[in-house]
Amino acid sequence: MNNLYPFKASQRRLQRVTLQPQQTAIALHPQQLLPLTPDQKHYLINVLRLETHAEFIALDSQGGWWRSRLEPDLTTATILESIDHNSELTTYLTLGIAMPKGNNLESVVRQATELGVRQIVPLFSDRTAIKAGTEIGQQKRDRWQRIAAETAELSLRSYVPEVCAPQDVHQWLSASPHLSTCPKYICVTHPDQPHLLQCLREDQAMNSDRLMVVTGCEGGWTEREEQWAIAAGFTPVSLGDRILSAVTAPVVALSIITAYLDAL
């Protein structure tokens, strides 16, 4: 079983801040001076009310945790040491999700991040309210990524999941065969399909370091979409005898997968 808290109790109480890509372009190391972004400075000083020489944990979004100290100028921090931390799944878990209505994808991003997913791919499908070719604004995509980062901090994640730009389901499925040895599942509503948990137990490829699961929108997948998935190497699976909403299905699927992986 993974030890969620391998570091000191005093370190567990420290607040966490996720670094931006430009801050981690060069490998971090102890005694490095780290310029803070305006948002990070606002969060540390005005929200958390940290003072000079207060310590916090900087997350580099690549698995690294760094104990850091706020400097007197309040615009920089000094990295003090690397902190050992292990709360991640050993499997790189990708969730493909046909986009639900309204802002429901935000809830899925939060819960998927809590459950350990490493990549979230919003998908246009035959039955999504938003169709392929629709331009999803950068502001909305930035918000999804920001939600993932904030949730990763709260969940003691070492990695911030990547929230990809929305893609057409056919194109995404067609691009996946290069991961032929990776277990891949498409959740369907047919009662005659094997349960996801059963497939996880029987899948001979479960020693792979990657796993992909895809869930549909309200109304499920069309027949041609299921055939596309099967042709791309996805195994149709059931999540049980009850029909789940587009928001509940990915949470149930990820809960089953992460519980199984954590127990290995």
Side-chain angles (χ1 to χ4, degrees):
M1 181 179 297
N2 288 338
N3 181 4
L4 294 182
Y5 304 110
F7 46 97
K8 301 176 183 177
S10 60
Q11 294 174 342
R12 290 204 302 268
R13 293 192 294 267
L14 296 178
Q15 299 292 334
R16 297 170 296 280
V17 172
T18 300
L19 301 180
Q20 299 300 309
Q22 69 271 18
Q23 295 171 298
T24 58
I26 300 176
L28 303 180
H29 57 82
Q31 303 310 311
Q32 178 179 342
L33 195 64
L34 186 70
L36 300 174
T37 68
D39 286 344
Q40 291 166 348
K41 178 182 176 182
H42 171 78
Y43 179 66
L44 292 170
I45 298 171
N46 299 328
V47 178
L48 300 180
R49 299 192 180 281
L50 299 187
E51 299 179 350
T52 296
H53 299 312
E55 294 184 1
F56 62 95
I57 295 175
L59 310 179
D60 64 14
S61 301
Q62 302 166 18
W65 286 41
W66 302 87
R67 184 168 66 90
S68 305
R69 181 184 62 218
L70 187 61
E71 291 303 311
D73 62 9
L74 302 181
T75 64
T76 57
T78 298
I79 295 177
L80 301 177
E81 64 175 347
S82 174
I83 298 175
D84 291 332
H85 177 70
N86 180 23
S87 66
E88 294 293 328
L89 298 170
T90 57
T91 300
Y92 188 105
L93 181 55
T94 293
L95 168 68
I97 174 173
M99 286 188 291
K101 296 177 181 178
N103 293 324
N104 285 324
L105 185 61
E106 296 181 3
S107 297
V108 174
V109 170
R110 288 190 183 92
Q111 295 173 89
T113 300
E114 291 174 359
L115 289 166
V117 75
R118 289 286 298 276
Q119 184 184 57
I120 301 170
V121 187
L123 298 170
F124 299 112
S125 75
D126 288 344
R127 290 175 175 157
T128 51
I130 304 176
K131 299 302 181 182
T134 303
E135 179 62 30
I136 302 297
Q138 186 64 42
Q139 185 175 9
K140 179 170 287 189
R141 289 166 54 189
D142 288 345
R143 175 169 173 77
W144 294 339
Q145 191 62 63
R146 186 167 62 252
I147 288 171
E150 293 170 351
T151 306
E153 292 178 12
L154 294 173
S155 302
L156 297 180
R157 291 284 307 272
S158 297
Y159 291 92
V160 175
E162 174 193 12
V163 184
C164 300
Q167 302 177 39
D168 175 77
V169 64
H170 190 201
Q171 294 176 353
W172 182 71
L173 291 170
S174 299
S176 68
H178 69 285
L179 297 172
S180 58
T181 60
C182 162
K184 299 183 289 189
Y185 305 103
I186 180 170
C187 299
V188 299
T189 57
H190 311 313
D192 58 334
Q193 295 298 336
H195 195 279
L196 172 59
L197 181 57
Q198 174 187 343
C199 291
L200 290 170
R201 289 170 172 165
E202 297 176 353
D203 200 325
Q204 298 300 311
M206 278 309 296
N207 60 349
S208 171
D209 59 358
R210 294 186 67 109
L211 188 150
M212 303 172 73
V213 63
V214 59
T215 61
C217 64
E218 306 297 341
W221 301 105
T222 60
E223 182 177 352
R224 70 170 187 166
E225 289 170 335
E226 292 181 15
Q227 291 304 313
W228 289 338
I230 293 171
F234 282 75
T235 300
V237 296
S238 167
L239 296 178
D241 296 332
R242 292 157 299 282
I243 301 298
L244 305 177
S245 73
V247 177
T248 304
V251 176
V252 171
L254 292 174
S255 296
I256 293 170
I257 293 169
T258 56
Y260 177 81
L261 294 175
D262 278 338
L264 291 178

